[in-house]
Amino acid sequence: LKEESILNGDLLLIDARQEIEAGEMVLGLINQHDSFLKRYYPEGHNIRLEGLAPQPSSLTLKHELVSIQGVLTGLIRSY
């Protein structure tokens, strides 16, 4: 997750809430299996998920394939 400025060993603070605003960084599952941390954009019957890399990777999936676990609210990094 280097493109999200998240480094190995970082701790993510996730707010396990159901109400999500467009553009928030969310932690979720695709098909109850593959996890992701991407920006969330609802688009009709679909959800567009975008990374933050210089060349953002984007996924568009049907709502029923995506399960949002929570919203990223902070990051703790030890040096």
Side-chain angles (χ1 to χ4, degrees):
L1 293 172
K2 196 183 280 186
E3 67 270 11
E4 268 71 341
S5 299
I6 298 170
L7 303 176
N8 194 17
D10 287 351
L11 298 175
L12 304 179
L13 302 175
I14 304 293
D15 182 8
R17 61 183 156 99
Q18 299 302 312
E19 294 182 23
I20 303 163
E21 299 291 324
E24 288 188 296
M25 183 70 72
V26 297
L27 174 67
L29 297 171
I30 298 171
N31 289 326
Q32 298 298 321
H33 185 265
D34 297 315
S35 62
F36 65 85
L37 183 67
K38 293 191 178 280
R39 294 225 178 260
Y40 168 90
Y41 298 96
E43 297 180 337
H45 295 292
N46 296 320
I47 297 172
R48 181 169 40 97
L49 302 168
E50 285 194 3
L52 295 177
Q55 299 172 347
S57 59
S58 179
L59 294 169
T60 301
L61 301 165
K62 298 217 177 279
H63 278 279
E64 58 268 13
L65 298 178
V66 178
S67 172
I68 303 299
Q69 306 299 300
V71 177
L72 178 67
T73 58
L75 178 142
I76 299 172
R77 180 171 293 153
S78 297
Y79 293 96

